[in-house]
Amino acid sequence: MSTRPFTTVLLGNPNTGKSTLFSALVGMPTRVGNYPGVTVEEKIGRYTHREIPIDLIDLPGTYSLSPKSPDETVTVNVLFGRVPRIPSPDCVVIVADATNLERNLYLASYVLELGLPTVIALTLCDAAEKKWISIDADELSRRLGCAVVPVVATTRQGIATLREMITDAPHFPRRNKINIEQHLAAVDSIHEPAVREAIARYAWIENILDGVVSKHPSTTRSFDEQIDAALTHRLWGTLFFILTMLFVFTSIFWVATPLMELMAFGVDTIGVWLGSILPQGAVRSLVIDGMIAGVGGVVVFLPQIAMLFFFIAMLEGCGYLSRAAFLMDRLLVGVGLSGKSFIPLLSSFACAIPGIMAARTIENRRDRLLTILVAPLMSCSARLPVYLLLTGAFVPNVPVGVLWLRLPAIVLLSMYAVGVIVAATVAFVLSRTVFVGIPQPFVMELPRWRWPQAAVVLQRSYEASVSFLQNAGTLIVAVSIVVWALSNYPFDEQAIEAEISHHRIALKTQLESLRAAGQETSQTAMELTEILAAMETPEGIRAAQKGALQRQSFLGRTGRLIEPLVQPLGWDWRIGCAAIASFPAREVVLGTLGVIYNVGDVDLSKKPGENALVRRLRAATWDGTNRKVFTLPVALSIMVFFALCAQCASTLVIIGRETGSWIWPVITFTYMTTLAWLGAFATYQIGTWFMGA
Amino acid sequence: MHELSLLKKGSAGRVVRIHGTDSISMRLLEMGLTPGVSVKMIGAALLGDPLEIELRGYHLSVRKSEASRVEVAGS
Ligand SMILES: Nc1nc2c(ncn2[C@@H]2O[C@H](COP(=O)(O)OP(=O)(O)O)[C@@H](O)[C@H]2O)c(=O)[nH]1
Ligand SMILES: [Mg+2]
């Protein structure tokens, strides 16, 4: 027997369980979800059966062999062996949904005509049984002239048989039994030829299925239908949608907070412990001021990330996403997008990269480009920690008087809203200027309702958590170390002392001149006295030294160079540096802030469970004064900046790849960064004016 | 005979014709909306568009503009 691997493709309509079947056959986890467009590119996995290696290819779903969107094009190209790195298939497994055989066999009618060795896997047999649909698989097999295997991919039922059939398929050439012509002749000739062919194929299907599928229609409306009626109801459905979104975001804020405090306590404890065992010096500084300060501020948000992905996976698994897309279509058309943009945009709340890739399901190039351009404006999970930290630390925790909502939750929601509103505006403007075009179709299957599979939901949360921690352990550690190095070198003791004494003299002179003018009791004078007194304490001396070191460091010099650019946003040069360091990947910002603001505050015993980074930010003052850096308008301005800015190199790379041109990432970067600056500027100015008034 | 988009919520009809042979019409046909098939109107989204219909045992969403290419006869 030859050992040449045997290429087998999984082909079928979207959402029929191809990826689930792929995982079951190969034993390799894949992304699955109860909506069309989860799989957008081919995935290859190998398993061995009866000593024959089999290369199984999972493909995006398609309804026919004339592709209408980029993901369907991938499928058809692989099937016809047009992709150079993939051998043309030796065997096709048609994955057909047992609850909906009629429509599933339409694609099958084309595939069977190709004459390739074919096996039909009847998936979702458990769901069919629940709907009282029974299928005579043997009879179907006889009529189609190929093996038909009923399976339940989620419980691996029928998988062993399917494996046998796949291995055997090439040895049993199929007798071609497709006879469309006979049905074609019976079609009324008033229809166009293309229409006649479709009619003939469905007539063939009806003929094949006659006596094979038996349905026992229930007299009462099924539970599914009732849920569907409520959730796609024009009024209740829309209300439910809004409440769901509110619930998801507020619960992320409130439910995960106690867990987060636990994490913060753990991080602090590790910091104190390391502080007690490491000798004074550069290593200690690197570990405590660089790594713990950097990573500690980030990992505490693990519970929130896990929860966000838990909710997303629940929504993906139950079939709600397609309903939400249905409800939102009109609104999206209004701003120049389409209902098909909904799932890519919603996925972007987790991460823009899969979101942008999911845009491949959009048939029309114009809609697709627009969706891709605005997808990075959806607040991804990397922005969540920034929002959580700043709202938690600087937004007063007061009720707003509506439902159970409190101000921090409203601010958090507003940050998500800012991204959505700006995206809508950008899409609206572009669709009426650059991307003028005709309205595009929205023909979308609404998948049946299903309980999300616990394993899939947990897997998704787990994967997101692992990758979050991995990021914290690699990228954020690395950036924290670089920032630490840049802010601690060059180290010139004399220059530091010189700066401190220079500063002290300047303050004293100022105070004396105030005294001379008889303004000893003025607020400025009091403040100056306070600062001068603080500078004499051991802690104050240490803080002053650290501050001076930072100002003279590479980072400090660069920071003060860009300060004019960020001052209108209410930021000091340190925030400016943190923002700039976050351009390659925004998730590093808290780490960077943690390292940069690690001046002075070392009192870890103050409030167990409180984030050390929060303490540092609350204590931060403008250089040489005791004016606080972080006020409410500043915190809001930072959040708005992060909500709108294109701080993710990977996203830009993916945009380039998906659009096939470098011009779109450049445009995305430019427009987002400009809007971010303007948005932050407006927020700070308006906020300051409000606070003053 | 009237347009599919005019079917009342909860009522059913039989498809008589699909106008056009562009990609939108082809997609409708591929999805099983062929002459002779029976369709049921399930409802519409907030602003009356798109529509949710049931055919061949599954649910499909189409916009009014697409549904207007489909002629149905009350059954
Ligand atoms: N009840 C049931 N659900 C299944 C089965 N196979 C897949 N699913 C679910 O069907 C949905 C679509 O599955 P997926 O593998 O992503 O389909 P694909 O789009 O064809 O790749 C997911 O929610 C799966 O959990 C099955 O045999 N039984
Ligand atoms: Mg898939």
Side-chain angles (χ1 to χ4, degrees), chain A residues 387-608:
Chain A
Y387 299 160
L388 288 170
L389 182 103
L390 293 175
T391 44
F394 301 105
V395 178
N397 186 4
V398 292
V400 288
V402 185
L403 297 173
W404 68 98
L405 297 171
R406 291 177 156 259
L407 194 56
I410 296 293
V411 170
L412 181 68
L413 270 172
S414 314
M415 286 308 134
Y416 281 87
V418 163
V420 172
I421 291 167
V422 170
T425 315
V426 169
F428 182 83
V429 171
L430 287 181
S431 68
R432 272 155 187 79
T433 51
V434 190
F435 294 103
V436 276
I438 46 164
Q440 289 308 308
F442 180 66
V443 179
M444 190 184 71
E445 184 184 354
L446 297 172
R448 65 226 151 257
W449 290 98
R450 241 200 306 269
W451 284 110
Q453 272 176 263
V456 171
V457 172
L458 294 180
Q459 169 88 10
R460 192 96 151 81
S461 288
Y462 171 77
E463 271 172 13
S465 309
V466 168
S467 99
F468 176 73
L469 286 181
Q470 266 172 357
N471 244 335
T474 52
L475 180 70
I476 296 175
V477 169
V479 173
S480 298
I481 291 175
V482 170
V483 170
W484 170 83
L486 288 178
S487 61
N488 277 279
Y489 295 94
F491 182 74
D492 182 346
E493 214 161 335
Q494 274 175 347
I496 292 172
E497 287 309 322
E499 185 187 316
I500 294 174
S501 67
H502 181 83
H503 183 50
R504 193 183 287 128
I505 290 166
L507 290 179
K508 277 190 179 146
T509 325
Q510 206 186 336
L511 186 60
E512 257 141 45
S513 69
L514 280 175
R515 280 198 183 127
Q519 297 179 336
E520 269 169 53
T521 52
S522 75
Q523 198 172 350
T524 328
M526 310 273 273
E527 264 175 29
L528 287 172
T529 322
E530 234 173 72
I531 296 173
L532 280 167
M535 279 177 83
E536 302 311 325
T537 64
E539 223 168 79
I541 292 173
R542 205 147 12 100
Q545 280 171 342
K546 258 191 165 174
L549 167 61
Q550 215 176 52
R551 267 187 303 281
Q552 292 177 11
S553 69
F554 294 118
L555 189 82
R557 286 177 210 172
T558 324
R560 277 175 301 160
L561 211 63
I562 59 141
E563 197 163 25
L565 211 59
V566 298
Q567 232 161 14
L569 314 181
W571 304 1
D572 73 346
W573 65 264
R574 294 188 172 90
I575 306 176
C577 282
I580 286 179
S582 314
F583 267 95
R586 58 172 67 83
E587 47 267 55
V588 305
V589 67
L590 293 189
T592 315
L593 282 175
V595 175
I596 297 182
Y597 282 103
N598 187 16
V599 246
D601 176 28
V602 281
D603 185 5
L604 290 166
S605 59
K606 247 192 274 173
K607 243 199 195 176

Side-chain angles (χ1 to χ4, degrees), chain A residues 266-293 542 546 598 601-604 616:
Chain A
V267 170
D268 273 4
T269 314
I270 294 174
V272 171
W273 175 70
L274 282 175
S276 69
I277 60 162
L278 287 174
Q280 208 75 33
V283 175
R284 178 190 157 102
S285 166
L286 172 67
V287 170
I288 297 195
D289 304 339
M291 284 153 69
I292 297 283
R542 205 147 12 100
K546 258 191 165 174
N598 187 16
D601 176 28
V602 281
D603 185 5
L604 290 166
R616 294 198 183 106

Side-chain angles (χ1 to χ4, degrees), chain A residues 18-19 31 38-39 58-59:
Chain A
K18 296 178 295 301
S19 299
R31 271 290 299 284
V38 189
T39 314
D58 183 24
L59 292 171

